[in-house]
Amino acid sequence: MCICSMKILDSQGRLFGRISILDFGAALVILLVLFGIFFYPGTSGSVAQVGVTTRPVTIDVLVVGLKSSNAKELFKTGEKTNLIIRNQPYGQVTLNKVNFLPRIIPVTQPDGTLKALPDPTADNLFNNNLLLTLEGKGQITENGPVLGNIKIKVGTTVELDGKNYNFNGTVIDVRVQ
């Protein structure tokens, strides 16, 4: 039989009488997908990182009720600590400033008003209030600073993890330099 007299598609849907047109179409789709994956992988990196700038970001973290007998020895200015935002590790940030806040208690006055006075038992309890100023690199987007692909805003709960400590605090201020 001459190839030139053969039909391209026979009555059973086979190409040149040998391969099914459905099998041929499936093989062609698979080859096109593989070609697209290996030869056109697209851009690398996250879409969120396109067109953003990285700048130093300073955050103030308020820690209330840190239970420690030696809290003043745990934190040193200029030291690095690990920052975790919403259970996602960011990396290391620098402790720029450590302020121990005085503990105050409300005291009722004889005239019925309330007055905030220093807690006389503050030295005896292992309960510390701190204001930590941290600095790290962040991406600046139109919605604000982003540290480690997570937006950082006032009210965000963060976790600080050092060699001898692990505790939570709340962001009370965010500044972009």
Side-chain angles (χ1 to χ4, degrees):
M1 193 193 289
C2 178
I3 295 178
C4 50
S5 68
M6 262 181 133
K7 290 184 177 182
I8 294 175
L9 198 59
D10 68 5
S11 62
Q12 293 180 346
R14 292 182 293 189
L15 289 172
F16 302 112
R18 294 184 178 207
I19 185 167
S20 168
I21 192 163
L22 293 176
D23 292 339
F24 178 74
L28 184 64
V29 167
I30 290 171
L31 285 174
L32 287 173
V33 167
L34 290 174
F35 181 78
I37 289 172
F38 291 113
F39 292 104
Y40 294 103
T43 60
S44 62
S46 170
V47 174
Q49 296 174 353
V50 175
V52 295
T53 59
T54 302
R55 295 186 18 208
V57 175
T58 303
I59 60 174
D60 289 335
V61 176
L62 179 65
V63 181
V64 177
L66 177 65
K67 309 280 191 260
S68 175
S69 62
N70 63 345
K72 293 188 187 220
E73 298 161 11
L74 287 177
F75 310 104
K76 303 211 179 353
T77 302
E79 195 174 73
K80 298 277 188 188
T81 187
N82 295 313
L83 180 67
I84 302 165
I85 308 167
R86 295 186 189 135
N87 295 327
Q88 300 294 319
Y90 161 70
Q92 290 196 329
V93 292
T94 305
L95 276 165
N96 280 353
K97 195 189 303 184
V98 179
N99 289 332
F100 284 85
L101 303 174
R103 293 193 43 217
I104 56 171
I105 56 172
V107 177
T108 307
Q109 300 300 304
D111 63 356
T113 61
L114 233 87
K115 190 174 185 181
L117 297 174
D119 186 356
T121 63
D123 294 335
N124 300 333
L125 300 174
F126 303 120
N127 201 351
N128 301 285
N129 297 334
L130 300 133
L131 178 62
L132 303 172
T133 303
L134 310 170
E135 184 177 320
K137 296 276 184 192
Q139 299 170 347
I140 310 306
T141 65
E142 60 189 31
N143 295 328
V146 175
L147 299 177
N149 293 329
I150 303 166
K151 291 180 196 172
I152 190 80
K153 297 180 177 183
V154 172
T156 302
T157 300
V158 296
E159 184 179 342
L160 295 172
D161 184 38
K163 188 170 73 170
N164 297 323
Y165 57 85
N166 183 297
F167 58 89
N168 291 333
T170 304
V171 175
I172 60 168
D173 192 18
V174 178
R175 296 180 300 281
V176 178
Q177 298 178 355

